[in-house]
Amino acid sequence: MLGGTASVGRSGARLVLPLSAGRGWAVEHALVGARGGRPVGRGADGALVSYFTGPREEWRAGLRTYRRVVIPRAWPAIDAVYRAGAGALKYTFRLRPGADPADIRLAYRGARRLRVTPSGAIEASTPAGVVRDRAPVAWQRTGGRRVDVPVRFDLRGDGTYGFRVGRYDPTRPLIVDPEIVYAGYVGGAQFDQGFGIAVDAEGNAYLAGRAQSPEDSFPDTGGPGLALGGGFDAFVAKVSPAGSLIYAGYIGGTGSDQAFGIAVDAAGSAYLTGDTHSAEGSFPVTVGPDLTYNDGPLLLGDAFVAKVAPSGTALEYAGYIGGHVADEGKDIAVDDEGNAYVVGHTASPASTFPDVAGPDLTYNGGEDGIGDGFVARVAAGGSGLDYAGYVGGARPDVAYAIDVDGAGRAHVGGDTASAEDTFPVSAGPRLTYGGGEWDGFVAGVAPDGSALEYAGYLGGADMDNVRSLALDGAGNLYVAGHTRSTEESFPVAVGPDLTYNGGDADSGDGFVAKVDASLAVVYAGYIGGAAGDRAYGIAVDGAGRAVVGGDTASGEDSFPVVGGPDAIYNGGLLDGYVAAVAPDGSRLDFATYLGGAALDRVARVTTSGDDVFLAGQTYSNQRSFPVAAGPDLTHNRNSDAFVARLCLACAGPPPPPPPPPPSDCTIAGTAGDDTLRGTAGTGSAGTTASTAG
């Protein structure tokens, strides 16, 4: 954040932006002509600040700091609200009935130049860099709903600016502008990555990944393992709803271990899967499902599955799934009875792999050490497998994603290079291999595991990869991945974007698709820009939106940014992103970057109500990554795992008291919430708000 700070008084906010050698540049975000009352702090964060500058009578000691400061009636019938969050100072104006939006006049004093960009943002040039405020949004409450109102910045000739507001239109769709509740690092001095995330009913987030950092720098707090065993260990961490770390610990042995998938049950037990190169003498096997390491002479590893007690201090079970060749667990789900469902890939033939009940008990082959996809169900106690079998054809196949419905039917997604003459296609959504190096696929496993109830391709004529899937209560399947197939062959329908945007040789565009219970494609479209874009995670929120996360090399000139806390590409090789698709699939309700100046990746997403939880990897330090609240606000060198929570319902102020619209309107903007670019480097402005005057 480059040390940027903010204080709020009656006349606006004062931002201090860093230059160099401890010097700063002050910029005032002025409420021109405001005659408001004394600022009122809301949401005290517990910190105190003191100012000992100038004459003694101007000293201030022990001032509270707040995440929100309200200036009542800054102009007639208009309140100004400043909020600190995501390394930014955001501003909102509440207009009471009868208020005139034209009364709002703002200025950046201390800036050399002000301009409105083609995207609708406003830029203020300073010696410390360029402060960018993203394009504003406005809404009104009608029948308890927030309804969009047209608005844009209005740059005036006297160096001030305001807002030009269109007519109120209650038929416009809801505009969502998410706010970061927390975002922080989980890692140590070496290389750490987050791969999976789950959330319980109380809003606790569970993070899985791999850690190279030893216990003297990794936050191993409360178990299950408190010492690094090998080159990499799998790790599991639990984060409170506010972003603090409840527990974190390793799962592994003297070999290399990593966790890719995580799920959580109603009791708060976390279930993990991944792969391990650690034999039973060092890997913490207990109960099952298999207590004997199956690796043969090639030393290529086993898949593993583990259940962590709700306290985080113990393993309720941990064991292997695999044969004598390479085996790897990629994702995991859990049903209401505590049965765990695991998918991955295996090159182990049926003579050594634990093929139990199905869905296919015959190894189908596949070169490159990848082999077949597999699916397995672990009995609730962990002592054995209810079923395990292959999913694949004669070429390589990998199962990357799984979810389970209320009937105990497992839905599996992944990649296959196997054409329909060997891949077990049945029912759809598409029964013909599209071409290219890989096609995505989805398949449904019968509740007893004995057969596939459906299996089909999802792709086009070039390379297509399915990386994640999710179910809603109606049995609709939401799928995310990336593709190099253009709209001429990819099954685009409805949206959110029906035109392929290009990209690099490895990824192309991200994509999202919804498949209904009859296996018809409801919608399918691209998410991306002119450079490479990938989608790794998908979930469904309480409003029926598909929420997608991934990484992108596309700048804001081509990536479809819509609202969100960060509308500017942050630099580095890649930025993470998160996007929500409208329930009908026709558009993106929001799409925003999540990252800093180095490489960032969103690996998985999950939802709870209207909140989105993200896990991933970042090389960006706290000067540019949007850390907020925790669990750790300081980058730990190299690569860190990260976890973040976005509140989709927190973007606007609470509903105003009765008098009903249309005359009741809210306008929201941002003061330096996007990226500073200039001689000072890269960062964000405005990290705290305090009642300093």
Side-chain angles (χ1 to χ4, degrees), residues 96-146:
R96 294 183 174 88
D100 185 355
D103 288 344
I104 300 173
R105 293 177 61 219
L106 307 169
Y108 270 111
R109 292 175 178 154
R112 294 173 174 170
R113 187 170 68 94
L114 205 63
R115 78 179 188 101
V116 177
T117 71
S119 67
I122 200 163
E123 293 184 342
S125 300
T126 80
V130 176
V131 179
R132 291 180 176 89
D133 300 358
R134 68 170 182 264
V137 296
W139 64 91
Q140 62 179 147
R141 297 279 176 177
T142 302
R145 296 186 304 118
R146 196 174 90 177

Side-chain angles (χ1 to χ4, degrees), residues 28-108:
E28 182 185 0
H29 185 254
L31 308 178
V32 180
R35 295 291 185 269
R38 183 177 180 84
V40 178
R42 294 284 186 266
D45 62 12
L48 300 176
V49 297
S50 300
Y51 300 93
F52 302 107
T53 59
R56 179 178 291 272
E57 60 269 19
E58 295 181 7
W59 293 1
R60 299 289 185 272
L63 297 174
R64 291 183 178 181
T65 60
Y66 300 89
R67 296 194 62 78
R68 186 159 53 101
V69 177
V70 180
I71 305 171
R73 298 186 183 274
W75 298 276
I78 301 174
D79 296 337
V81 183
Y82 286 95
R83 303 193 319 277
L89 188 72
K90 304 186 177 188
Y91 55 82
T92 301
F93 300 103
R94 301 177 186 169
L95 285 73
R96 294 183 174 88
D100 185 355
D103 288 344
I104 300 173
R105 293 177 61 219
L106 307 169
Y108 270 111

Side-chain angles (χ1 to χ4, degrees), residues 76 275 279 331-332 527 583 640 646:
D275 69 69
D331 198 14
I332 192 167
I527 300 176
D640 271 1
L646 274 66

Side-chain angles (χ1 to χ4, degrees), residues 155-232:
L155 191 60
R156 297 160 186 172
D158 59 357
T160 67
Y161 70 99
F163 303 96
R164 189 178 295 268
V165 180
R167 293 188 302 173
Y168 302 132
D169 183 359
T171 65
R172 291 286 298 266
L174 177 69
I175 298 296
V176 179
D177 187 7
E179 180 174 293
I180 294 178
V181 177
Y182 65 74
Y185 305 106
V186 177
Q190 299 300 319
F191 188 91
D192 311 292
Q193 294 173 278
F195 292 131
I197 194 164
V199 62
D200 65 20
E202 284 73 45
N204 299 294
Y206 299 75
L207 177 68
R210 68 174 182 170
Q212 189 184 44
S213 299
E215 59 272 17
D216 59 355
S217 64
F218 191 82
D220 48 344
T221 306
L226 301 181
L228 184 72
F232 281 99

Side-chain angles (χ1 to χ4, degrees), residues 360 364 371-374 390-399 412-433 438-444 452 454-458:
D360 182 356
N364 299 284
D372 275 0
F374 78 82
Y390 302 105
V391 179
R395 298 288 309 283
D397 318 278
V398 182
V412 178
D415 300 348
T416 180
S418 302
E420 64 272 13
D421 57 345
T422 62
F423 192 81
V425 291
S426 170
R430 178 174 176 171
L431 303 181
T432 305
Y433 188 75
W438 296 94
D439 252 16
F441 77 84
V442 292
L452 296 179
Y454 70 86
Y457 300 105
L458 193 63

